[in-house]
Amino acid sequence: MRDSSSGALAELIRRSDYWRRSSGSARGPIGHKEWMHFSVLSPDVDLLINFSLVDDRHRREVPSLVFLVRPREGPWDGWIERPTLARVSGGGMALSMGESRVDFEGGEFRIEAKTSRRDLTATLCLRPVARPALTTSVPLGRGASMKWAVVPRLVADGELQVGDRRIELRAAPAYHDHNWGSFEWGGDFAWEWGIVLGEQNGSPCTVILQRITDRGRHRVVSQGMLVWRGGSHARTLHGGSVEFRNLGLRRAGGALRLPPVMSLVSPGSAADLPDRLEVRGRAGEDSLEVMLDIGEPVQIGVPDDRGLGTTIVSETTARARVSGSISGESLSFEAPAIVEFNRAGA
Amino acid sequence: MRGPEFPAYLAAAIERLRDEVPYAYNAVSRAVEPDPIAIVIDGAACRLRSQNGELSVTLGTAPASTRMESDWLTIFRLLDAEVDLLEVLRSDDLRLVGSIRSIVRFESALRAFLAGAIRSPSMSSLYDDMRQRHQPAGDPQ
């Protein structure tokens, strides 16, 4: 899509997907958290890269890079890099931290990511092929909220270095979102979030799943299924039209937990993750069913903002079976997926 | 390049905890107050005690309710999650002696210390220095 429509798409992204930045240093609300997340699901590898800026207690923005990679049939590998300096301008999309950077140039996201340990590097171009969406605030506990911009489908090219293994990416399906808001890790929320990057009749078909609950996971605050067909948003099902079901228990042994010291701080396993996640939605004549077989997790331990507790974010590979009917057109495909579980640490 | 021994690093870490994560400092203090801890790393001995809410690190080991003895290599392997506490106890790379009560308090103090350390903005530079000076030769970082 390299014509005036791609120019319009790029302009839409520039106008919506810029770094908001914290206002903490100007005596604004503290607790600002903001990240740009990229997922690439290729036949050879699953890749997650996340650039974040998070306020500390002294109103300083602290940069982090999360680099998670799973070569096909191999275990997860990854590292969390914490450079001391970041350069970013509010209102722009460029961010550099240490030897890593992300920017939006020539209608593409350009990423260079490098970790100081584990020998992980990525050089990527991600070209958007679907219209972005900007959501309203999502409540995350009392008085706290998060906003969300998403570019649900991109095409990724580039190369990775994972230890001594070089992996090329060619036209790999990818996803990007950008979250920002003032809220507390350890606040009264938990979430399940998933992306399915599939194809229907040779055209990209992307499904996003999200459910936000209270921290005890007893009460649903928000839930939805969002569908893009080709480059356009096709349908959103939300609220009472949607049902999430966690089935079974993985009973996994130790999962890779990052940073490594979190295994000492908050020992535990991924044993509480489900084996399967089933999400169904129905509204009027439209229906959608997504069945996910949950695979191997990698876990990020995040210190809670109050007290000494921990929040565990588990990223899992998954295999999705999607079926349904949207606006009279049937959907039926299998595709790779990523599912993220945000829960209180044990 | 050898640098300060373990007691000096522990004292510096406790000070940073007090200044930057006081609620973690207080949690360590509460866990240690009834049961001082003797720590020996590669022969360098110290005692961590708490009195009236104030933690202190003194050289030497007596008297203490709990004694922990280990080496730098094991410390780094634990922090890198190459091994867990149970593994190093079983392999005798880390030896812990004390009553059940005092060992439970030691574990509480350790978890509170680590939970505070990951929240301390300046702790990572102390850790990097410690690692640079005491990483065993040939051991990959």
Side-chain angles (χ1 to χ4, degrees):
Chain A
M1 185 173 32
R2 295 195 183 271
D3 52 21
S4 62
S5 64
S6 63
L9 181 56
E11 186 59 23
L12 259 179
I13 292 171
R14 267 193 290 274
R15 286 172 180 261
S16 60
D17 200 8
Y18 55 90
W19 288 98
R20 268 58 177 183
R21 301 294 302 282
S22 168
S23 60
S25 60
R27 314 310 294 178
I30 60 171
H32 183 84
K33 296 171 176 60
E34 185 168 4
W35 60 83
M36 283 197 181
H37 174 101
F38 298 87
S39 296
V40 180
L41 305 182
S42 84
D44 298 321
V45 69
D46 295 330
L47 173 69
L48 278 71
I49 291 180
N50 184 303
F51 295 84
S52 70
L53 293 170
V54 174
D55 279 353
D56 68 8
R57 291 169 59 235
H58 305 284
R59 298 174 178 268
R60 294 176 300 217
E61 285 177 310
V62 178
S64 291
L65 170 77
V66 176
F67 191 134
L68 304 175
V69 61
R70 184 168 184 255
R72 196 62 58 214
E73 305 307 327
W76 279 104
D77 197 352
W79 192 250
I80 298 177
E81 195 75 9
R82 299 195 193 280
T84 51
L85 288 176
R87 275 192 295 275
V88 59
S89 57
M93 294 178 70
L95 166 69
S96 64
M97 52 168 77
E99 294 187 73
S100 303
R101 64 184 289 271
V102 58
D103 200 356
F104 188 71
E105 297 170 342
E108 298 177 331
F109 289 93
R110 298 191 181 169
I111 291 174
E112 291 175 25
K114 183 173 182 177
T115 64
S116 57
R117 294 177 71 177
R118 305 297 304 160
D119 288 331
L120 303 171
T121 63
T123 303
L124 305 171
C125 289
L126 300 102
R127 178 170 53 86
V129 293
R131 290 173 65 85
L134 193 62
T135 69
T136 55
S137 288
V138 176
L140 293 181
R142 186 177 300 179
S145 65
M146 182 173 72
K147 290 189 172 68
W148 178 44
V150 59
V151 182
R153 195 63 173 255
L154 307 95
V155 174
D157 294 276
E159 64 178 42
L160 311 176
Q161 193 76 34
V162 182
D164 58 4
R165 182 176 169 183
R166 184 175 167 275
I167 302 171
E168 266 197 46
L169 296 174
R170 288 283 173 260
Y175 164 94
H176 160 62
D177 68 26
H178 177 184
N179 299 78
W180 67 94
S182 289
F183 59 91
E184 293 186 338
W185 290 121
D188 190 17
F189 64 90
W191 72 57
E192 290 152 345
W193 163 88
I195 57 164
V196 182
L197 302 182
E199 274 194 11
Q200 177 83 32
N201 300 326
S203 183
C205 189
T206 305
V207 181
I208 301 173
L209 311 165
Q210 63 88 11
R211 178 167 76 162
I212 298 174
T213 66
D214 65 338
R215 193 162 175 84
R217 289 181 275 145
H218 307 298
R219 179 174 54 87
V220 176
V221 173
S222 162
Q223 59 186 10
M225 309 172 82
L226 297 85
V227 183
W228 274 258
R229 302 187 78 151
S232 300
H233 175 244
R235 192 64 158 99
T236 294
L237 302 167
H238 60 91
S241 304
V242 175
E243 179 192 23
F244 275 67
R245 291 179 70 207
N246 283 193
L247 297 164
L249 278 177
R250 277 194 51 78
R251 299 204 182 280
L256 174 65
R257 189 168 281 197
L258 295 171
V261 72
M262 294 307 284
S263 296
L264 268 179
V265 175
S266 183
S269 70
D272 68 330
L273 296 180
D275 249 343
R276 297 189 310 286
L277 177 62
E278 295 183 355
V279 188
R280 294 180 173 88
R282 178 178 289 278
E285 299 296 314
D286 293 340
S287 67
L288 189 63
E289 190 174 88
V290 181
M291 305 289 164
L292 294 140
D293 292 321
I294 304 298
E296 187 186 338
V298 55
Q299 298 184 312
I300 309 291
V302 183
D304 289 346
D305 285 322
R306 287 181 196 263
L308 297 177
T310 305
T311 295
I312 300 294
V313 178
S314 301
E315 305 283 355
T316 68
T317 57
R319 190 73 192 166
R321 281 167 283 128
V322 178
S323 60
S325 175
I326 303 290
S327 300
E329 293 187 48
S330 67
L331 286 175
S332 178
F333 60 88
E334 289 193 19
I338 292 279
V339 182
E340 176 182 283
F341 300 89
N342 176 320
R343 295 178 170 180
Chain B
M1 174 173 56
R2 299 294 291 185
E5 297 301 336
F6 182 83
Y9 282 111
L10 180 60
I14 292 293
E15 198 174 297
R16 291 172 194 220
L17 214 61
R18 184 193 63 215
D19 293 340
E20 297 172 2
V21 200
Y23 51 96
Y25 178 91
N26 293 338
V28 175
S29 176
R30 283 194 298 274
V32 171
E33 184 142 2
D35 294 293
I37 301 168
I39 305 172
V40 184
I41 303 297
D42 277 333
C46 64
R47 186 178 70 155
L48 177 67
R49 63 191 291 254
S50 174
Q51 195 165 26
N52 299 323
E54 289 290 325
L55 286 164
S56 61
V57 178
T58 52
L59 296 180
T61 60
S65 305
T66 309
R67 179 184 172 94
M68 185 194 99
E69 190 164 349
S70 188
D71 52 77
W72 283 112
L73 174 62
T74 300
I75 297 296
F76 293 131
R77 293 183 72 210
L78 274 169
L79 293 174
D80 286 346
E82 292 177 19
V83 291
D84 60 33
L85 264 179
L86 200 53
E87 284 174 297
V88 296
L89 285 168
R90 282 178 170 156
S91 66
D92 217 34
D93 288 322
L94 189 148
R95 293 165 292 283
L96 205 52
V97 178
S99 68
I100 288 175
R101 188 195 80 165
S102 69
I103 287 176
V104 168
R105 286 189 174 274
F106 166 83
E107 203 261 355
S108 296
L110 175 63
R111 298 235 184 270
F113 174 82
L114 291 171
I118 59 173
R119 289 164 168 82
S120 159
S122 67
M123 200 68 80
S124 61
S125 61
L126 184 68
Y127 174 73
D128 289 343
D129 183 74
M130 186 174 81
R131 188 164 202 125
Q132 197 172 19
R133 294 174 186 276
H134 290 282
Q135 184 83 35
D139 199 45
Q141 287 202 10

